[in-house]
Amino acid sequence: ELSTPAGHVVALGMSRALARGERERDVFGAVAKLGGRAFIAHPEQRKRPWTDWGAATGAAGLELYSADSMFRIALEHPITVLVPAAAAYLTDPGHGLLSLVRAQPELTRRALELAEDRPVVTLCAHDAHGLPAYAEVFRAFALYLSSSAGSALPEDPNLAAHRVLEDVGLGRSWCGFRGVASAAGFSIAGVGDRERQAFAGDTLTLHLPPWAPQAIQLRIHGPAVLLPDGRRVRLERPGAVHIEIWARGPGMFFEGGWKPWIVPSPIRVVQRPPVRSPPATEGELSAGVPASESG
């Protein structure tokens, strides 16, 4: 995690650390030159928010959900947020931490704006500092990797690290709030694996884990509509679409009890290229009829 004049940046996969001057001039370009990917850390955190959204076009993505930011917000609202969460934490730490999670409409809007022109990855991050306990925070939510769904990571640690960094950097991952249920086995059919891209007019199919809660909501941001079956999403026009799956959490009184469960990265929707006819053969050009019928 790097400190820059505009805020904090998480850099993954660099070949070396950045010097202070590199961080201050063009942190996103410097990270990219070293083979890494840079993400804006806790952009909405009141202690150290991100202040230069014009430069954000160079970022690979941003942290959409930050546990540290949520905990700081709870400290600012001790009666309405912190005390109920602490009471729930005593009986079920996962549910107590989940009660701190709030919707992120401003960051979702920022992510969609960035994703209109290029692939953008949204992450959830712990940014753990020891309070609440590390183990409980790590159990509360995690990033799930799509390429590891059907196979174990390589035994070689360097190969395993490369695959993890590639999956995260390309958005082949999703955030799963395990206080609701495990998010393993989730997928979206119809999205390009490498660029998180689909065509306007396409229909995406969401495959949920078999243990999905009964009460769920699909919250869709951007030019797309949920079809009546509740599992397919039609992409209406070019732009960026963000899909979140929310579930009703047990013992949750705020926000109607609804909390995020599965949060993938935005999908860039582009216009389908026109279908071009194959070039005419010499016989077709000379006779004006199919070559097989020309004399």
Side-chain angles (χ1 to χ4, degrees):
E1 186 171 356
L2 309 172
S3 294
T4 78
H8 288 179
V9 170
V10 170
L12 303 178
M14 291 189 300
S15 57
R16 63 168 175 82
L18 289 183
R20 180 170 182 173
E22 293 175 303
R23 300 198 304 267
E24 294 179 348
R25 286 192 298 270
D26 178 14
V27 63
F28 299 126
V31 170
K33 287 180 181 178
L34 295 175
R37 291 183 174 90
F39 301 86
I40 301 173
H42 48 71
E44 85 299 350
Q45 189 189 94
R46 300 182 189 184
K47 179 182 179 181
R48 192 65 192 274
W50 184 257
T51 59
D52 188 358
W53 286 102
T57 55
L62 55 84
E63 292 178 358
L64 186 58
Y65 290 97
S66 165
D68 182 59
S69 297
M70 296 170 194
F71 185 60
R72 291 178 185 274
I73 291 174
L75 292 176
E76 296 173 2
H77 301 84
I79 303 301
T80 59
V81 179
L82 184 61
V83 170
Y89 185 88
L90 293 176
T91 57
D92 190 319
H95 292 161
L97 294 172
L98 186 64
S99 70
L100 300 178
V101 182
R102 296 291 185 270
Q104 301 292 328
E106 177 62 19
L107 292 185
T108 299
R109 182 183 68 82
R110 295 284 191 183
L112 288 174
E113 289 177 351
L114 295 173
E116 286 189 358
D117 299 320
R118 59 187 177 82
V120 166
V121 177
T122 53
L123 305 177
C124 58
H126 299 97
D127 202 352
H129 291 76
L131 184 68
Y134 288 112
E136 299 301 343
V137 174
F138 295 155
R139 289 191 189 102
F141 63 88
L143 281 176
Y144 290 77
L145 308 181
S146 60
S147 75
S148 302
S151 62
L153 289 170
E155 292 186 6
D156 182 278
N158 292 319
L159 294 177
H162 175 77
R163 192 159 111 186
V164 168
L165 291 173
E166 184 177 46
D167 279 356
V168 173
L170 294 176
R172 294 199 298 249
S173 62
W174 59 92
C175 182
F177 288 87
R178 295 187 283 197
V180 175
S182 170
F186 169 75
S187 65
I188 302 179
V191 179
D193 187 50
R194 187 164 188 85
E195 295 185 344
R196 292 200 59 75
Q197 181 173 290
F199 295 114
D202 283 358
T203 297
L204 309 180
T205 302
L206 279 68
H207 298 285
L208 303 185
W211 46 82
Q214 288 187 345
I216 63 171
Q217 292 179 349
L218 266 66
R219 300 189 178 186
I220 302 173
H221 309 270
V225 295
L226 180 65
L227 297 182
D229 61 13
R231 293 294 183 273
R232 292 183 299 149
V233 176
R234 187 175 65 241
L235 307 176
E236 298 284 89
R237 60 184 184 277
V241 172
H242 182 62
I243 302 170
E244 293 190 349
I245 302 169
W246 284 53
R248 191 183 294 277
M252 304 294 178
F253 298 101
F254 300 103
E255 295 195 40
W258 292 99
K259 295 295 177 182
W261 175 33
I262 298 176
V263 183
S265 291
I267 300 163
R268 184 167 173 250
V269 184
V270 299
Q271 194 69 47
R272 187 182 299 276
V275 178
R276 297 184 178 182
S277 302
T281 65
E282 183 177 350
E284 291 172 328
L285 291 174
S286 62
V289 295
S292 59
E293 298 177 15
S294 63

